Amino acid sequence: MDRQLLIICLLTAAINLIGTLAYSARIAGVRTRRIAMSFALFNILVLVSRTSNSFLGPFLAKRIESRLASGGGEALLGDFRLVLASASIAVFLGILLVPTGQRLFAAGIKHFQVHRSTGRLVMRLASPAGVRAVRQSIRLPSLTHLRGFTKDRGVGWGVLLANCLAQALIVVGVLASLYAGFLNPEYRVTASQLSAVVNGFATILLFALIDPQLSVMTDDVVEGRIGEARFRRTIVWISISRLVGTLLAQALFVPSANAVAWIANYV
């Protein structure tokens, strides 16, 4: 793995780690009873995660151009497989860090309630006190939570499958469109622009089906109709479906790239 590919993999991992940890903000909101603030943090992180996915485009496009210029285009598929694998590893790490994330977000919510400044919150995180708070917040899932994992999921299989599909499309959208440009170089620019259609559909699916379910459950927890433990299990199940989605992206990558390459001929 050369430096360019390492940077792409690390950026992909960071994007997916942020997206996975964003769900911890909802747990923190339930615990602190600062629902609106937790939603604001969640939306900021999700926006950063989903928007940053587009930033991969220039790096990956440069990778393709470099491979083509050096005559190593046949190695591109392996490069993209590594990028997809880095997304899966980051999501798995994010699932393990859900307890850490909820403690950090709870501390961040309390800090913002006092100082009312996003800038000061970011500076606090970068300060020695913030680093100390991060170190003190590190927790792994407890055995108690693991034993209760098989209980009520809180959401149906349809929601989990929809989230799995949406996450797979988001992960594979930019990658497949760029690889399609390699497969169909005559319409390379057209193929690369089709990623917006794929990601747009996946984002609508997430906002229309997944986010409302979590919002309703958050209200139910605040009103005492369901317990926090069940809500945490739901967040973990949603995160696991995201992990399965990144694994599914490996299977969808080549068919999606071929489909985009074909569609580019007729747009």
Side-chain angles (χ1 to χ4, degrees):
M1 180 184 293
D2 55 60
R3 187 180 67 173
Q4 184 186 50
L5 182 57
L6 177 62
I7 292 173
I8 293 172
C9 289
L10 289 176
L11 180 58
T12 302
I15 290 170
N16 284 274
L17 180 62
I18 291 171
T20 305
L21 287 177
Y23 291 111
S24 301
R26 291 183 179 267
I27 302 176
V30 167
R31 288 201 159 187
T32 60
R33 293 301 189 265
R34 303 293 185 181
I35 305 302
M37 183 60 211
S38 71
F39 276 23
L41 282 177
F42 173 81
N43 289 332
I44 289 171
L45 291 172
V46 169
L47 180 63
V48 169
S49 175
R50 295 175 186 173
T51 303
S52 297
N53 218 26
S54 301
F55 296 161
L56 284 172
F59 292 97
L60 292 166
K62 180 63 178 294
R63 182 75 180 179
I64 293 174
E65 299 292 346
S66 299
R67 284 292 195 185
L68 291 175
S70 61
E74 67 281 353
L76 278 173
L77 181 58
D79 294 347
F80 281 102
R81 294 292 189 195
L82 285 174
V83 174
L84 291 171
S86 68
S88 299
I89 293 171
V91 173
F92 178 72
L93 180 61
I95 293 172
L96 295 180
L97 291 177
V98 165
T100 300
Q102 71 181 46
R103 287 170 172 79
L104 285 175
F105 285 125
I109 290 171
K110 291 177 181 178
H111 184 273
F112 190 88
Q113 286 295 128
V114 174
H115 300 285
R116 308 296 176 94
S117 171
T118 305
R120 293 189 65 174
L121 179 59
V122 173
M123 292 177 63
R124 168 78 175 180
L125 183 62
S127 69
V131 174
R132 185 167 57 251
V134 171
R135 187 172 61 250
Q136 293 172 348
S137 298
I138 295 176
R139 295 289 189 281
L140 291 177
S142 66
L143 290 176
T144 302
H145 292 159
L146 292 176
R147 291 192 189 101
F149 179 70
T150 57
K151 296 180 180 178
D152 184 16
R153 299 182 306 275
V155 291
W157 286 111
V159 173
L160 295 177
L161 289 174
N163 186 59
C164 175
L165 176 60
Q167 298 295 346
L169 291 175
I170 285 178
V171 171
V172 85
V174 174
L175 302 181
S177 298
L178 288 171
Y179 190 65
F182 165 73
L183 297 176
N184 187 1
E186 185 178 358
Y187 294 101
R188 187 180 303 170
V189 176
T190 303
S192 66
Q193 294 303 309
L194 287 172
S195 65
V197 178
V198 178
N199 285 349
F201 173 76
T203 301
I204 291 173
L205 188 61
L206 286 170
F207 277 112
L209 295 180
I210 313 304
D211 290 347
Q213 290 281 343
L214 292 178
S215 298
V216 169
M217 284 199 70
T218 303
D219 291 338
D220 288 342
V221 176
V222 172
E223 294 173 5
R225 287 198 286 266
I226 64 174
E228 289 186 19
R230 182 183 177 188
F231 184 69
R232 284 197 301 270
R233 284 198 302 274
T234 301
I235 295 297
V236 173
W237 274 104
I238 290 291
S239 300
I240 289 175
S241 70
R242 181 189 181 107
L243 174 61
V244 175
T246 63
L247 297 174
L248 178 62
Q250 292 276 7
L252 294 178
F253 176 67
V254 173
S256 299
N258 286 325
V260 172
W262 179 78
I263 293 172
N265 291 317
Y266 302 99
V267 171

